[in-house]
Amino acid sequence: HVFAPGLYEGPQGNDAIFCDAEGTEFKVPMSNADVLDPVSESQLEGVENVCALDEVSNAAVLHTVRTRYLRSPAQIYTRVSRIMIAVNPFQNLPIYSASVMSKYLHATDAIDLDPHVFAIGSDAVRGLRSGEHRNQAVLISGESGAGKTESTKLILSYVSEALVGSSGGIQDKIMLTNPIMESFGNAMTVRNNNSSRFGKWLQISVNGSCAIQGCSITDYLLEITRVCKQGPKERNYHVFFQLLGARDEFQDLPIRDPSTYRYIKDSQHNVPGVDDKLLFDELKAAFAALGFSQQSRTEIFKVVLGILTLGNAEFVQDGEGSKLKDDKPVAEAANLFGVDLQPLKKSLLTKIIKVVGDATETGRSVAQAEQARDGMARLLYGRLFKYLIRNINSVLSGGGSLEGRFFGVLDIAGFESFEVNSIEQLSINLSNEHLQAHFNNHVFKMELEDYKTEGIDAVKALSYQDNADIIALLDSKSSILAVLDEEVSVPKPSDANFTAKVIKSFSGHPRFFSPKVAKGLNFGVRHFAGDVLYTADDFVQKNVDKPPDEAPEMFQRSKSGVLKAIGESLGQELQEAATPGKKKLKTVSSAFRASLASLLGTLRQADPNFIRCIKPNAEKLPNKFTSLMVLEQLTCSGVFEAVRIRQSGYSSRVTFKDFVGRYRAILPKGTAVAVKKAQQGGSSDAEVAKMFVDALPDALGHFDGYDMNDVVLGRTKVFSRTKLVSLLDKARELALSRHVIEIQRNWRGHRTRTGLKELKIAFAQVKQWHKANNFYSATGPEHTAVYKLKTPEAIEAQVEALGPIFEKAQRMPLPCPNAKGVESVRRRMLNEVDALRGLQVAAKSVEPMDIERVVLRCKDLDIRVPELEKLRERMQALAVQVPLKKGAETAMAEQDTESMEEVLAAAKEAGLEQQPGKWLEEVGGAKVLAEMAKMLESLNAGKKVEARPKPPEPVLQAIGKRSMKAAGNLEMPAGQKGRKSTIAGLSAEDETKILLELMGAMEVCDIARLEVALNEAIKQGIAQKDVLAEAQEMYRSSSSEDWLHTQLQEKMSEASESTSDGTVLKGLQNLIKQAEKLQVLPDDVRSAKQVVQTRVRVRARMTMTGKVFEEIDVEEMGLVDDSFSDLRDFSGLKSPLEWRGHKAPSFFSFGAAGAEVMLAH
């Protein structure tokens, strides 16, 4: 943790205990606890601009960036005034669309929009178009992997859209430079899969109407040492692997596998998430679009391949010199370069020593030849890179002038400090020192403008860290790099001599240090961002920029136009260096410092806009924030120095109104009243603020450390130093704590009184409703709801009226009087509604048990209405008519004349033959009986009659399957098997099945199953039997609350015994279903459910054997499924009032109450 906000938990011995938001505890020595910075609420909110905080500190900046980055989706941009912090998200975010860009393109001031890289582009374009027509520069910095390249491309895409091109599609051409620059200048490092290994200044020239005229690119510090050697888990420049992956396209070139080339065989060959073939296609398309001919493109790729091939040259000792072990690699490279073999071999194997005008040729040792080979490879690649930039600049300039106003983007590596730091890191850090000085001057200037706007004299208030002494140590006439240039010119230069001279010359410099125990050629520099120890090995060699003497002439004679142009450029440079009166740029260091000076001169002509890119973690993972790593980068990028400059003056700047509003609680009562009257009396905010500030000595009199010079009034804001803000916050906290206690006391009293009033009203409404609907106080039809209210609609209206008032009463902190009685009345009324509506349905039903069910329910509810007698008559009629009709249909299907005559006789006995009108219309028996009589007459006359299909009996079939399972292998006596037993044509075998089904349903108290079987028995005309009578008795009793209560109690008692089996539990489950269906006995139902759940869990533990996964008892699984299908009555559920631990308010948003809240959770 770095700058973790924590709450003070209390003392523990000599330590103070703090706890962060995740619950992690931290111990801080009590002596240090008092000096910890207090955290204001705004510092925890992740504000868009940290300068909007009451107090800006390093901790506030880091935590704001951290909070925003860890949101979902990540907010990767944060402002420090006009400086933009951009954290690499390591994922694609939908924040760069055309619609998002449009908001910034049309913004009056991007400071009013969300922080974004487009906001920096908007600021720069607005400055370019302003009346002063100021040049603009966007300076992008950060370590490898921080996202500089992507930020640069996004800035260029915005500017290309915002500025109109004069002609020739210049915007598109600028964007097309990216594939070329990335292929030849980017590589995979341990920190970044697409790391820019060079710095870049891209300058876009605009005319008076802000139309783009042209563009130029300047490169800095290309890492040419990477061409010959890469670190572990890194790889060479992308273009090498892109070309090798396209061997099928260049079959005339000797392209081999990457593992065969010395310069890349030990490096990483593939980059995760990178398609080299796709990028190579983009590279070729960019070359073509920018005017590189097919021949030039081929020659460029030949030089790239030739460099790899040259690296395979091996040398062996030959006398005092050396020779090639095999000419083939060099011959192949010479062919690719378009040069003769002998000059190339000579440049590798020999060297020319010039002494007083005489030139002597001597052989190179094996080590020297290898150095010459690698030096040639580095030279070729570095010069090829410059050739590409020259040609790109020629296209982007359009042959016109680039003078006038400009918009520039600087993409350069940030401050670097590794385990081993060489001249490359020294050069990068020198450029960052210069840019930091430029940054400090800009921030200091912004602060001065803010003070000037508010009319405050800030000359004494502000200070900033000046790094001019570091720059002088590194870059002056008597500097470390000057000593290096001098060492190169002596007869026998060496890194040891250079190191000794540096230590001797600068040991007394406050910014210089040398290790106490020397372990090699080391010296150190105390940079603004931290101390760096440099290793001077190879400093001298790396600082020499003179190509081999043979190189210019050899390249100029090449058949390759690209290499010929490189040779001409080299020859021109050597000629200019030899011209009398010309300043000779002999070294890498002097050339770099000259170009850096030119860049700084350009930057001073422009308004700077800063983007500080941050890498949030070393693993390149999304949604991970390594605070210590980010803290170091914020320090190195100068963001904290910007904060420190702000803190050195009046760090807090709050408007008059907000200042008074925030701290008014600390004022003495009399002053507070005067301030309030002034506000209400129309005094200006400035007058009220002055009155407030004048009262501060009295308000803060009991605090030590108050200084009247720590606060000053501007034109619109109160400016305060950090020390005063801390005192004000402490005083406010004390004052608010007193007010909070008073507010809590008043609120609790008010809430109790209001709640009691609401409780009385709610209970009175429930009582009034109960009094108006006081049914069921005694037995008898005159005590039912239907007796008074007449219709189901009227009963429903009363129940609906109870709903909201009863729900409100149940939410009260005290239990509602007679709540169970009211609930019982409500349920009974709803049961009456169901029963009355059931009467209407039963009046047309042809299912005897449907009518029986309704009649029984009405009887149980004491409902007495005329329709009941009619239903009983209908049920009796159905018991006779349905079997007769079924028997007639069966007899006709079988053409059984004997059965037909039996049916006709039974119909005659029932008076249905003589009076067809007695048949129920819904049964349709009269028509079937007439049809049967006609068929019987025909059959008796000997006529052939078409058989009628036998009616399907799905219910009987289902009953048969269940009863067969219950009875085992049922065997009927031979004399009875197939014999008809009823008037409906039912066989004795099927009759037995129905009776067995009745017995099975009664055994497990399955009322629904019992109803189906009884219905079928009546329809089939089964005569009264003991089993049938017993079943009918159970069915009639099942609608009685008293019977259900007795049965539930008995079954619960049986189930609680350890010897109980699944049949008892299944019977208890079926009784629960019947009670729920009738909406009765809720307490019994709840208890019964918990008994079932408990016993099922016990049975599950008892049956967990090794065969549990082999032998599956389907009935047992059904038992478990039914037991836990509804968890609302599970015994483990508790009311929220009984919960222990976390009680988030969001848990109560489901609209449920009591235990159901826990179930929803």
Side-chain angles (χ1 to χ4, degrees):
H1 286 78
V2 179
F3 290 133
L7 290 171
Y8 177 62
E9 296 290 320
Q12 188 181 90
N14 295 324
D15 296 324
I17 304 300
F18 292 85
C19 185
D20 69 4
E22 298 172 355
T24 306
E25 288 190 350
F26 298 91
K27 290 184 178 180
V28 178
M30 195 67 76
S31 57
N32 295 341
D34 289 340
V35 301
L36 294 177
D37 292 336
V39 177
S40 66
E41 186 176 346
S42 62
Q43 292 175 336
L44 302 176
E45 293 174 353
V47 296
E48 296 178 349
N49 188 343
V50 294
C51 290
L53 298 173
D54 299 336
E55 181 181 351
V56 185
S57 63
N58 291 6
V61 174
L62 177 66
H63 189 67
T64 297
V65 173
R66 176 168 53 205
T67 300
R68 293 177 61 78
Y69 181 78
L70 293 178
R71 285 174 177 162
S72 181
Q75 295 177 333
I76 62 173
Y77 296 109
T78 306
R79 288 184 180 275
V80 181
S81 187
R82 295 280 180 176
I83 303 162
M84 190 66 67
I85 299 173
V87 187
N88 192 340
F90 291 118
Q91 60 180 312
N92 292 324
L93 296 177
I95 58 174
Y96 304 108
S97 62
S99 60
V100 173
M101 182 184 287
S102 178
K103 289 196 304 182
Y104 293 87
L105 287 170
H106 298 95
T108 304
D109 189 347
I111 198 77
D112 299 325
L113 300 177
D114 295 339
H116 200 288
V117 66
F118 292 159
I120 295 297
S122 176
D123 290 345
V125 171
R126 191 177 72 256
L128 203 61
R129 289 172 171 164
S130 66
E132 298 179 3
H133 299 299
R134 290 281 297 169
N135 298 323
Q136 299 293 317
V138 176
L139 284 68
I140 304 173
S141 66
E143 71 169 56
S144 179
K148 300 187 300 296
T149 300
E150 290 304 313
S151 293
T152 300
K153 288 193 285 190
L154 288 167
I155 281 289
L156 290 178
S157 68
Y158 179 89
V159 173
S160 297
E161 189 69 26
L163 300 179
V164 180
S166 56
S167 63
I170 186 66
Q171 300 100 318
D172 294 335
K173 291 178 181 178
I174 293 173
M175 299 305 298
L176 284 169
T177 64
N178 287 323
I180 301 174
M181 293 292 96
E182 289 190 20
S183 291
F184 286 85
N186 289 24
M188 176 186 178
T189 68
V190 291
R191 295 188 175 188
N192 184 6
N193 292 347
N194 187 33
S195 175
S196 294
R197 308 314 300 160
F198 70 105
K200 176 175 65 177
W201 167 251
L202 188 146
Q203 184 169 316
I204 299 174
S205 159
V206 298
N207 59 22
S209 58
C210 284
I212 298 176
Q213 294 185 128
C215 178
S216 68
I217 299 173
T218 306
D219 68 293
Y220 300 94
L221 296 173
L222 178 69
E223 186 187 19
I224 58 174
T225 54
R226 177 172 293 271
V227 173
C228 303
K229 185 178 180 181
Q230 306 88 44
K233 296 183 179 180
E234 295 192 350
R235 80 170 190 173
N236 216 322
Y237 289 101
H238 294 326
V239 69
F240 290 117
F241 299 91
Q242 293 171 2
L243 178 60
L244 296 183
R247 70 175 70 182
D248 294 339
E249 185 178 342
F250 297 94
Q251 295 184 2
D252 56 332
L253 297 181
I255 299 177
R256 302 181 182 86
D257 189 81
S259 60
T260 63
Y261 294 102
R262 180 194 304 273
Y263 286 160
I264 59 174
K265 66 178 182 178
D266 297 326
S267 71
Q268 189 93 2
H269 291 169
N270 297 305
V271 179
V274 173
D275 186 342
D276 284 327
K277 185 178 184 308
L278 177 64
L279 294 179
F280 191 58
D281 290 340
E282 292 179 3
L283 171 64
K284 293 183 295 181
F287 270 142
L290 290 175
F292 286 79
S293 66
Q294 180 62 52
Q295 182 178 348
S296 295
R297 300 199 294 271
T298 302
E299 290 173 352
I300 290 168
F301 295 141
K302 281 185 175 181
V303 173
V304 171
L305 185 59
I307 291 171
L308 288 179
T309 306
L310 181 64
N312 287 344
E314 296 182 273
F315 305 93
V316 294
Q317 194 71 32
D318 183 23
E320 295 184 358
S322 62
K323 64 179 181 180
L324 286 168
K325 184 178 181 179
D326 183 1
D327 283 2
K328 185 178 178 182
V330 179
E332 202 171 271
N335 184 49
L336 290 167
F337 295 149
V339 301
D340 293 335
L341 173 60
Q342 291 306 317
L344 182 57
K345 284 178 60 177
K346 184 178 178 181
S347 67
L348 299 176
L349 299 174
T350 63
K351 59 181 177 180
I352 298 174
I353 300 175
K354 294 181 179 180
V355 180
V356 195
D358 295 330
T360 304
E361 187 177 289
T362 182
R364 300 181 191 268
S365 65
V366 172
Q368 290 173 339
E370 290 173 346
Q371 290 178 0
R373 175 199 64 202
D374 294 345
M376 181 69 75
R378 291 193 295 268
L379 172 71
L380 279 170
Y381 194 83
R383 295 299 172 159
L384 176 62
F385 192 74
K386 295 221 178 261
Y387 166 84
L388 292 175
I389 289 179
R390 279 199 308 273
N391 281 269
I392 289 172
N393 285 342
S394 176
V395 173
L396 296 182
S397 68
S401 171
L402 296 181
E403 298 296 326
R405 284 185 300 145
F406 65 83
F407 171 93
V409 180
L410 178 64
D411 172 4
I412 198 164
F415 180 82
E416 291 186 348
S417 179
F418 305 132
E419 290 185 11
V420 177
N421 300 288
S422 189
I423 191 172
E424 292 88 355
Q425 281 68 49
L426 184 62
S427 300
I428 289 171
N429 291 342
L430 170 60
S431 65
N432 276 274
E433 290 288 357
H434 278 292
L435 293 174
Q436 180 62 29
H438 186 66
F439 177 79
N440 287 349
N441 289 331
H442 172 69
V443 172
F444 189 75
K445 183 179 178 182
M446 283 199 306
E447 286 290 290
L448 287 178
E449 288 179 354
D450 197 7
Y451 282 77
K452 184 179 178 181
T453 301
E454 290 290 323
I456 296 173
D457 183 7
V459 175
K460 296 180 180 179
L462 290 178
S463 65
Y464 73 95
Q465 182 180 345
D466 190 354
N467 64 340
D469 55 343
I470 308 176
I471 295 173
L473 174 65
L474 298 176
D475 185 12
S476 65
K477 291 183 179 180
S478 56
S479 63
I480 292 175
L481 291 177
V483 172
L484 179 62
D485 288 347
E486 181 183 332
E487 180 65 23
V488 170
S489 64
V490 301
K492 292 183 178 180
S494 71
D495 297 321
N497 289 340
F498 161 68
T499 305
K501 290 178 182 178
V502 166
I503 292 175
K504 180 179 179 180
S505 300
F506 304 106
S507 57
H509 198 288
R511 295 289 191 171
F512 182 89
F513 68 94
S514 57
K516 294 181 180 178
V517 179
K519 294 183 180 180
L521 305 178
N522 299 322
F523 65 90
V525 176
R526 293 188 171 91
H527 290 280
F528 81 92
D531 295 354
V532 179
L533 186 67
Y534 294 98
T535 300
D537 295 328
D538 298 329
F539 262 46
V540 172
Q541 179 187 345
K542 291 179 179 180
N543 195 38
V544 176
D545 193 31
K546 185 176 181 297
D549 293 332
E550 305 88 348
E553 184 178 354
M554 178 175 62
F555 293 161
Q556 288 174 22
R557 293 182 177 180
S558 171
K559 299 173 185 176
S560 166
V562 171
L563 210 57
K564 186 177 293 185
I566 291 174
E568 290 172 354
S569 175
L570 278 172
Q572 186 176 357
E573 289 178 16
L574 292 174
Q575 184 178 358
E576 288 179 356
T579 301
K582 286 281 186 177
K583 186 177 180 180
K584 301 180 181 181
L585 302 177
K586 297 180 180 180
T587 65
V588 172
S589 164
S590 58
F592 168 67
R593 285 184 286 153
S595 62
L596 182 60
S598 174
L599 171 64
L600 292 169
T602 303
L603 292 178
R604 293 188 190 102
Q605 300 173 30
D607 289 340
N609 302 269
F610 296 97
I611 300 177
R612 295 319 200 204
C613 297
I614 302 296
K615 185 178 181 180
N617 61 77
E619 296 84 1
K620 297 177 273 191
L621 296 174
N623 306 317
K624 181 178 180 182
F625 193 92
T626 306
S627 296
L628 184 59
M629 182 176 177
V630 174
L631 179 72
E632 293 171 352
Q633 293 175 76
L634 290 173
T635 302
C636 295
S637 67
V639 170
F640 287 156
E641 177 58 18
V643 171
R644 199 202 61 75
I645 292 174
R646 185 181 182 92
Q647 293 293 87
S648 68
Y650 297 102
S651 59
S652 175
R653 301 156 200 190
V654 186
T655 63
F656 294 148
K657 187 175 182 180
D658 289 345
F659 185 84
V660 173
R662 177 172 177 78
Y663 297 112
R664 63 186 177 188
I666 72 172
L667 291 176
K669 190 171 183 179
T671 309
V673 171
V675 168
K676 187 173 182 180
K677 285 183 178 179
Q679 288 177 317
Q680 295 174 343
S683 298
S684 67
D685 290 342
E687 292 170 337
V688 173
K690 186 176 187 309
M691 184 185 302
F692 191 103
V693 170
D694 291 342
L696 284 180
D698 292 335
L700 301 175
H702 53 288
F703 287 97
D704 294 331
Y706 172 71
D707 186 343
M708 61 181 298
N709 294 319
D710 288 342
V711 61
V712 64
L713 295 176
R715 291 192 176 100
T716 63
K717 298 176 184 177
V718 179
F719 284 63
S720 312
R721 293 189 189 277
T722 303
K723 183 175 67 174
L724 177 64
V725 172
S726 178
L727 291 178
L728 289 170
D729 285 336
K730 286 181 180 179
R732 179 175 180 267
E733 188 175 347
L734 287 173
L736 288 180
S737 64
R738 294 192 297 269
H739 293 314
V740 164
I741 293 171
E742 182 67 15
I743 291 169
Q744 288 176 340
R745 183 182 68 79
N746 291 327
W747 166 247
R748 285 169 181 161
H750 168 75
R751 185 177 60 181
T752 302
R753 290 188 295 272
T754 303
L756 188 59
K757 183 178 179 181
E758 291 178 351
L759 181 144
K760 289 180 178 179
I761 294 172
F763 288 178
Q765 289 175 333
V766 172
K767 184 178 180 181
Q768 183 180 357
W769 184 92
H770 195 194
K771 183 178 179 181
N773 297 278
N774 190 22
F775 309 121
Y776 321 118
S777 56
T779 58
E782 66 274 11
H783 297 289
T784 61
V786 69
Y787 184 83
K788 177 182 177 182
L789 301 175
K790 307 302 181 186
T791 65
E793 289 77 15
I795 299 174
E796 273 189 330
Q798 285 297 315
V799 173
E800 288 176 1
L802 172 67
I805 60 175
F806 193 50
E807 183 182 351
K808 184 177 180 181
Q810 287 183 309
R811 289 201 303 265
M812 293 296 152
L814 296 178
C816 178
N818 199 23
K820 287 189 176 180
V822 173
E823 177 60 25
S824 177
V825 170
R826 186 189 72 84
R827 283 200 306 271
R828 185 77 176 264
M829 291 173 72
L830 289 174
N831 285 336
E832 284 194 39
V833 171
D834 290 341
L836 291 172
R837 293 211 166 118
L839 287 173
Q840 300 170 3
V841 176
K844 295 184 179 181
S845 175
V846 294
E847 300 292 337
M849 295 311 297
D850 285 353
I851 300 172
E852 175 83 358
R853 182 173 64 250
V854 173
V855 170
L856 289 173
R857 190 63 180 138
C858 288
K859 178 183 176 183
D860 188 57
L861 294 172
D862 281 334
I863 296 175
R864 301 289 185 268
V865 290
E867 292 88 342
L868 280 174
E869 189 58 36
K870 293 180 180 179
L871 283 179
R872 289 190 184 96
E873 293 174 358
R874 183 179 180 86
M875 187 170 62
Q876 292 171 0
L878 287 172
V880 174
Q881 295 179 15
V882 171
L884 284 175
K885 178 190 176 187
K886 197 171 189 66
E889 290 174 338
T890 303
M892 285 191 290
E894 297 174 354
Q895 295 189 1
D896 186 344
T897 57
E898 184 180 349
S899 296
M900 290 181 186
E901 289 172 353
E902 288 180 7
V903 171
L904 285 172
K908 185 176 182 180
E909 184 180 347
L912 295 172
E913 185 181 21
Q914 300 87 348
Q915 299 178 9
K918 290 179 67 176
W919 281 94
L920 295 175
E921 183 181 351
E922 292 81 6
V923 175
K927 181 180 178 182
V928 174
L929 199 66
E931 185 180 344
M932 186 189 70
K934 186 177 181 181
M935 178 182 285
L936 177 62
E937 183 180 347
S938 299
L939 289 171
N940 288 335
K943 295 179 180 179
K944 188 175 181 180
V945 180
E946 183 180 351
R948 177 173 176 152
K950 190 174 182 179
E953 297 180 342
V955 175
L956 187 59
Q957 291 170 9
I959 287 176
K961 290 179 182 178
R962 284 204 298 257
S963 63
M964 288 293 288
K965 183 177 179 182
N969 294 325
L970 180 65
E971 290 292 337
M972 297 295 299
Q976 295 184 13
K977 201 165 185 178
R979 178 182 168 189
K980 294 179 181 177
S981 175
T982 68
I983 192 68
L986 187 71
S987 67
E989 181 182 2
D990 286 340
E991 181 183 37
T992 303
K993 291 178 182 178
I994 292 176
L995 295 176
L996 285 172
E997 175 69 1
L998 291 171
M999 293 168 63
M1002 286 190 290
E1003 182 182 18
V1004 293
C1005 301
D1006 191 339
I1007 307 303
R1009 180 178 163 192
L1010 186 65
E1011 181 180 313
V1012 173
L1014 280 172
N1015 202 50
E1016 192 63 25
I1018 293 172
K1019 290 163 70 174
Q1020 295 292 350
I1022 295 177
Q1024 288 292 330
K1025 297 180 182 290
D1026 292 342
V1027 173
L1028 184 62
E1030 186 182 348
Q1032 287 175 328
E1033 178 60 29
M1034 175 179 276
Y1035 184 78
R1036 293 188 183 105
S1037 301
S1038 67
S1039 62
S1040 166
E1041 287 190 43
D1042 293 338
W1043 183 85
L1044 279 172
H1045 172 72
T1046 302
Q1047 290 295 316
L1048 283 168
Q1049 294 299 322
E1050 291 178 358
K1051 292 290 184 184
M1052 281 192 283
S1053 178
E1054 291 180 39
S1056 299
E1057 297 176 4
S1058 59
T1059 57
S1060 64
D1061 58 13
T1063 304
V1064 176
L1065 293 178
K1066 193 67 180 175
L1068 189 52
Q1069 277 188 343
N1070 288 328
L1071 289 170
I1072 290 170
K1073 291 179 181 177
Q1074 179 66 6
E1076 288 181 331
K1077 181 179 178 181
L1078 299 178
Q1079 300 182 42
V1080 296
L1081 305 173
D1083 294 337
D1084 287 351
V1085 167
R1086 187 176 299 106
S1087 300
K1089 281 186 175 181
Q1090 292 174 1
V1091 169
V1092 173
Q1093 290 167 356
T1094 301
R1095 295 310 301 169
V1096 165
R1097 294 167 74 188
V1098 171
R1099 286 169 61 80
R1101 287 195 292 269
M1102 291 172 62
T1103 56
M1104 277 187 181
T1105 66
K1107 297 181 179 179
V1108 70
F1109 295 109
E1110 300 172 11
E1111 300 176 3
I1112 299 175
D1113 189 333
V1114 177
E1115 288 191 358
E1116 186 75 18
M1117 291 175 65
L1119 184 65
V1120 173
D1121 185 46
D1122 286 346
S1123 301
F1124 294 95
S1125 60
D1126 186 352
L1127 290 175
R1128 283 176 294 183
D1129 292 311
F1130 184 60
S1131 59
L1133 298 181
K1134 299 177 183 178
S1135 166
L1137 299 176
E1138 301 174 39
W1139 290 5
R1140 287 187 292 177
H1142 192 63
K1143 299 180 185 177
S1146 60
F1147 290 168
F1148 298 88
S1149 63
F1150 295 96
E1156 292 190 4
V1157 179
M1158 185 173 182
L1159 179 60
H1161 167 50

